[in-house]
Amino acid sequence: MYWTEEATNKLIEIVEKQKRKENGIRIIAQPDDIEGFTYELYWEHQVMPTDETIKQEGLNIFIDKQSHQLLEDTVVYFTIQEGKEGIFIMKTTSDCSTCSTVCF
């Protein structure tokens, strides 16, 4: 899992602005027959015994072991579309060294 600097900074900005009391965020990934995967992202204050914890620029990211496996080849970034802001998680399957597109 790779977090862009912009995504990390935006979440830290939200934590500071809203004076959130949670320790971080939780990400859950599940297989989906229609689109491949679905992702849930929400504020979290409790680490579960089976969690993988990632520290990203002072932000704690809690991921259960099953989700951690599904998130291995993902990029998390911040986006603004049609005036709406959000965190977007994208599954990547290509090797950046072999493609001509810009990789994060």
Side-chain angles (χ1 to χ4, degrees), residues 37-81:
F37 295 95
T38 59
Y39 305 103
E40 294 178 35
L41 180 81
Y42 58 90
W43 299 110
E44 180 65 87
H45 59 69
Q46 183 176 355
V47 179
M48 302 305 241
T50 59
D51 280 347
E52 301 272 341
T53 303
I54 300 169
K55 291 206 183 263
Q56 185 81 21
E57 301 295 322
L59 182 68
N60 291 315
I61 303 161
F62 307 118
I63 308 169
D64 65 82
K65 287 185 180 185
Q66 179 182 354
S67 294
H68 193 265
Q69 292 175 344
L70 297 174
L71 291 164
E72 281 184 17
D73 297 321
T74 57
V75 176
V76 181
Y77 60 96
F78 174 74
T79 185
I80 301 174
Q81 292 182 354

Side-chain angles (χ1 to χ4, degrees), residues 27-39:
I27 300 177
I28 298 174
Q30 297 179 344
D32 179 340
D33 292 336
I34 298 170
E35 296 182 26
F37 295 95
T38 59
Y39 305 103

